[in-house]
PDB file of all heavy atoms in Angstrom:
ATOM      1  N   GLU A  53      -8.114-107.910-126.263  1.00  0.00           N
ATOM      2  CA  GLU A  53      -6.931-107.053-126.220  1.00  0.00           C
ATOM      3  C   GLU A  53      -6.910-106.161-124.985  1.00  0.00           C
ATOM      4  O   GLU A  53      -5.870-105.942-124.374  1.00  0.00           O
ATOM      5  CB  GLU A  53      -6.864-106.172-127.482  1.00  0.00           C
ATOM      6  CG  GLU A  53      -6.748-106.939-128.790  1.00  0.00           C
ATOM      7  CD  GLU A  53      -5.382-107.618-128.964  1.00  0.00           C
ATOM      8  OE1 GLU A  53      -4.440-107.313-128.200  1.00  0.00           O
ATOM      9  OE2 GLU A  53      -5.273-108.467-129.867  1.00  0.00           O
ATOM     10  N   TRP A  54      -8.070-105.632-124.628  1.00  0.00           N
ATOM     11  CA  TRP A  54      -8.110-104.598-123.591  1.00  0.00           C
ATOM     12  C   TRP A  54      -8.153-105.168-122.176  1.00  0.00           C
ATOM     13  O   TRP A  54      -7.637-104.561-121.244  1.00  0.00           O
ATOM     14  CB  TRP A  54      -9.311-103.665-123.804  1.00  0.00           C
ATOM     15  CG  TRP A  54      -9.079-102.682-124.924  1.00  0.00           C
ATOM     16  CD1 TRP A  54      -7.861-102.351-125.470  1.00  0.00           C
ATOM     17  CD2 TRP A  54     -10.051-101.907-125.633  1.00  0.00           C
ATOM     18  NE1 TRP A  54      -8.038-101.431-126.473  1.00  0.00           N
ATOM     19  CE2 TRP A  54      -9.366-101.139-126.597  1.00  0.00           C
ATOM     20  CE3 TRP A  54     -11.448-101.791-125.544  1.00  0.00           C
ATOM     21  CZ2 TRP A  54     -10.028-100.256-127.459  1.00  0.00           C
ATOM     22  CZ3 TRP A  54     -12.096-100.911-126.400  1.00  0.00           C
ATOM     23  CH2 TRP A  54     -11.387-100.153-127.347  1.00  0.00           C
ATOM     24  N   ARG A  55      -8.781-106.340-122.011  1.00  0.00           N
ATOM     25  CA  ARG A  55      -8.950-106.828-120.643  1.00  0.00           C
ATOM     26  C   ARG A  55      -7.617-107.059-119.908  1.00  0.00           C
ATOM     27  O   ARG A  55      -7.461-106.578-118.784  1.00  0.00           O
ATOM     28  CB  ARG A  55      -9.829-108.080-120.606  1.00  0.00           C
ATOM     29  CG  ARG A  55     -10.271-108.443-119.193  1.00  0.00           C
ATOM     30  CD  ARG A  55     -11.081-109.713-119.152  1.00  0.00           C
ATOM     31  NE  ARG A  55     -12.393-109.584-119.757  1.00  0.00           N
ATOM     32  CZ  ARG A  55     -13.451-109.061-119.145  1.00  0.00           C
ATOM     33  NH1 ARG A  55     -13.348-108.615-117.914  1.00  0.00           N
ATOM     34  NH2 ARG A  55     -14.607-108.993-119.757  1.00  0.00           N
ATOM     35  N   PRO A  56      -6.631-107.756-120.576  1.00  0.00           N
ATOM     36  CA  PRO A  56      -5.359-107.943-119.868  1.00  0.00           C
ATOM     37  C   PRO A  56      -4.672-106.618-119.539  1.00  0.00           C
ATOM     38  O   PRO A  56      -4.080-106.472-118.466  1.00  0.00           O
ATOM     39  CB  PRO A  56      -4.498-108.747-120.850  1.00  0.00           C
ATOM     40  CG  PRO A  56      -5.445-109.303-121.852  1.00  0.00           C
ATOM     41  CD  PRO A  56      -6.630-108.413-121.891  1.00  0.00           C
ATOM     42  N   LEU A  57      -4.779-105.641-120.454  1.00  0.00           N
ATOM     43  CA  LEU A  57      -4.186-104.330-120.191  1.00  0.00           C
ATOM     44  C   LEU A  57      -4.862-103.673-118.999  1.00  0.00           C
ATOM     45  O   LEU A  57      -4.212-103.107-118.113  1.00  0.00           O
ATOM     46  CB  LEU A  57      -4.321-103.422-121.420  1.00  0.00           C
ATOM     47  CG  LEU A  57      -3.537-103.801-122.676  1.00  0.00           C
ATOM     48  CD1 LEU A  57      -3.831-102.819-123.800  1.00  0.00           C
ATOM     49  CD2 LEU A  57      -2.038-103.825-122.390  1.00  0.00           C
ATOM     50  N   ALA A  58      -6.189-103.761-118.993  1.00  0.00           N
ATOM     51  CA  ALA A  58      -6.949-103.156-117.901  1.00  0.00           C
ATOM     52  C   ALA A  58      -6.592-103.814-116.577  1.00  0.00           C
ATOM     53  O   ALA A  58      -6.386-103.137-115.563  1.00  0.00           O
ATOM     54  CB  ALA A  58      -8.451-103.291-118.170  1.00  0.00           C
ATOM     55  N   GLU A  59      -6.471-105.129-116.604  1.00  0.00           N
ATOM     56  CA  GLU A  59      -6.141-105.844-115.369  1.00  0.00           C
ATOM     57  C   GLU A  59      -4.731-105.517-114.900  1.00  0.00           C
ATOM     58  O   GLU A  59      -4.428-105.543-113.715  1.00  0.00           O
ATOM     59  CB  GLU A  59      -6.336-107.350-115.564  1.00  0.00           C
ATOM     60  CG  GLU A  59      -7.809-107.715-115.407  1.00  0.00           C
ATOM     61  CD  GLU A  59      -8.178-109.087-115.935  1.00  0.00           C
ATOM     62  OE1 GLU A  59      -7.292-109.782-116.475  1.00  0.00           O
ATOM     63  OE2 GLU A  59      -9.367-109.451-115.824  1.00  0.00           O
ATOM     64  N   ALA A  60      -3.851-105.187-115.879  1.00  0.00           N
ATOM     65  CA  ALA A  60      -2.482-104.813-115.512  1.00  0.00           C
ATOM     66  C   ALA A  60      -2.398-103.352-115.081  1.00  0.00           C
ATOM     67  O   ALA A  60      -1.322-102.870-114.734  1.00  0.00           O
ATOM     68  CB  ALA A  60      -1.543-105.071-116.698  1.00  0.00           C
ATOM     69  N   GLY A  61      -3.530-102.625-115.132  1.00  0.00           N
ATOM     70  CA  GLY A  61      -3.541-101.271-114.593  1.00  0.00           C
ATOM     71  C   GLY A  61      -3.529-100.147-115.618  1.00  0.00           C
ATOM     72  O   GLY A  61      -3.360 -98.980-115.250  1.00  0.00           O
ATOM     73  N   ASP A  62      -3.731-100.448-116.914  1.00  0.00           N
ATOM     74  CA  ASP A  62      -3.758 -99.397-117.928  1.00  0.00           C
ATOM     75  C   ASP A  62      -5.090 -98.627-117.835  1.00  0.00           C
ATOM     76  O   ASP A  62      -6.164 -99.187-118.060  1.00  0.00           O
ATOM     77  CB  ASP A  62      -3.595-100.044-119.319  1.00  0.00           C
ATOM     78  CG  ASP A  62      -3.533 -99.010-120.440  1.00  0.00           C
ATOM     79  OD1 ASP A  62      -4.457 -98.179-120.570  1.00  0.00           O
ATOM     80  OD2 ASP A  62      -2.542 -99.048-121.192  1.00  0.00           O
ATOM     81  N   ALA A  63      -5.005 -97.329-117.510  1.00  0.00           N
ATOM     82  CA  ALA A  63      -6.219 -96.540-117.231  1.00  0.00           C
ATOM     83  C   ALA A  63      -7.114 -96.436-118.459  1.00  0.00           C
ATOM     84  O   ALA A  63      -8.346 -96.514-118.343  1.00  0.00           O
ATOM     85  CB  ALA A  63      -5.836 -95.148-116.729  1.00  0.00           C
ATOM     86  N   LYS A  64      -6.538 -96.246-119.636  1.00  0.00           N
ATOM     87  CA  LYS A  64      -7.368 -96.079-120.839  1.00  0.00           C
ATOM     88  C   LYS A  64      -8.106 -97.374-121.180  1.00  0.00           C
ATOM     89  O   LYS A  64      -9.260 -97.343-121.601  1.00  0.00           O
ATOM     90  CB  LYS A  64      -6.514 -95.628-122.014  1.00  0.00           C
ATOM     91  CG  LYS A  64      -5.983 -94.222-121.811  1.00  0.00           C
ATOM     92  CD  LYS A  64      -5.291 -93.698-123.039  1.00  0.00           C
ATOM     93  CE  LYS A  64      -4.830 -92.280-122.798  1.00  0.00           C
ATOM     94  NZ  LYS A  64      -3.443 -92.234-122.295  1.00  0.00           N
ATOM     95  N   ALA A  65      -7.405 -98.496-121.010  1.00  0.00           N
ATOM     96  CA  ALA A  65      -8.064 -99.782-121.253  1.00  0.00           C
ATOM     97  C   ALA A  65      -9.176 -99.996-120.215  1.00  0.00           C
ATOM     98  O   ALA A  65     -10.256-100.503-120.545  1.00  0.00           O
ATOM     99  CB  ALA A  65      -7.049-100.913-121.202  1.00  0.00           C
TER     100      ALA A  65
END
Side-chain angles (χ1 to χ4, degrees):
Chain A
E53 298 290 348
W54 284 343
R55 192 183 291 279
L57 293 178
E59 279 164 358
D62 183 304
K64 292 188 178 93

